[in-house]
Amino acid sequence: STLLASSAASDVYKRQLLLNLKIAFRASIGVIVGIFILIFIISIILSSLYSKVAPEYFGNPIESIYTVFRMFTIEGWYDIPNAIADNTSPLIGTISKIGFCLIVLIGGMFGMSFVTSSFTDELAVDNNDNVMKELQELKEMIKKQNEKLGNND
């Protein structure tokens, strides 16, 4: 019977988790779509600027989208401006490095952090609602106990 109760509790937990994920995804969809639009726009611009200089990163729009996504996730992003700097003049290389740092800062650190925080915030909202409900129930129980104690005196 303990195993059945544990299994039933596990099923309830799984359903609640899936429901919370669905709610969080639905609430975060605007932010996620916004990030993908930003990735798309930046990748098209960078593809037009650097397709000849760094074709391994910006040779076509699909490769460019992957490269910008890689920059947003801050995974090996520093290789990209270094490759551009190696194939261009020192001035263009320096300007490119500064530009790529800004892209990583805006998209990677702020953008992806915003997506993550909005998603986790929505996951926590449901838990906060449950905690507040339980707190209210406890307050009511304490109030009833105080009333009983007051009536017995």
Side-chain angles (χ1 to χ4, degrees):
S1 79
T2 306
L3 185 59
L4 289 175
S6 176
S7 176
S10 176
D11 288 343
V12 169
Y13 176 74
K14 287 177 187 175
R15 276 191 297 245
Q16 186 65 35
L17 180 63
L18 289 175
L19 178 64
N20 288 350
L21 286 173
K22 183 179 176 182
I23 291 169
F25 183 74
R26 195 177 304 154
S28 302
I29 193 73
V31 175
I32 293 169
V33 168
I35 288 293
F36 280 119
I37 290 171
L38 185 62
I39 288 172
F40 182 77
I41 291 169
I42 291 173
S43 66
I44 296 300
I45 292 169
L46 293 178
S47 182
S48 67
L49 290 175
Y50 297 115
S51 64
K52 303 257 189 289
V53 176
E56 67 274 19
Y57 298 115
F58 303 106
N60 62 56
I62 300 299
E63 190 66 40
S64 184
I65 288 171
Y66 172 71
T67 300
V68 173
F69 181 77
R70 186 173 151 191
M71 289 169 43
F72 274 30
T73 59
I74 313 176
E75 183 64 34
W77 71 272
Y78 45 84
D79 294 333
I80 301 162
N82 287 339
I84 291 169
D86 290 344
N87 296 325
T88 60
S89 69
L91 178 63
I92 299 296
T94 302
I95 292 171
S96 296
K97 286 180 179 182
I98 292 169
F100 279 86
C101 287
L102 290 174
I103 290 171
V104 169
L105 182 67
I106 292 168
M109 298 197 175
F110 296 138
M112 294 305 261
S113 297
F114 188 67
V115 169
T116 304
S117 65
S118 67
F119 191 80
T120 53
D121 185 51
E122 277 302 316
L123 284 175
V125 165
D126 185 55
N127 187 40
N128 290 346
D129 291 343
N130 290 340
V131 169
M132 293 304 291
K133 181 180 175 185
E134 289 176 10
L135 181 63
Q136 187 61 36
E137 290 172 359
L138 284 172
K139 284 181 179 180
E140 290 174 13
M141 289 173 57
I142 291 171
K143 184 178 176 183
K144 287 179 184 177
Q145 287 298 325
N146 285 338
E147 288 173 357
K148 283 182 184 179
L149 290 173
N151 289 338
N152 288 338
D153 286 339

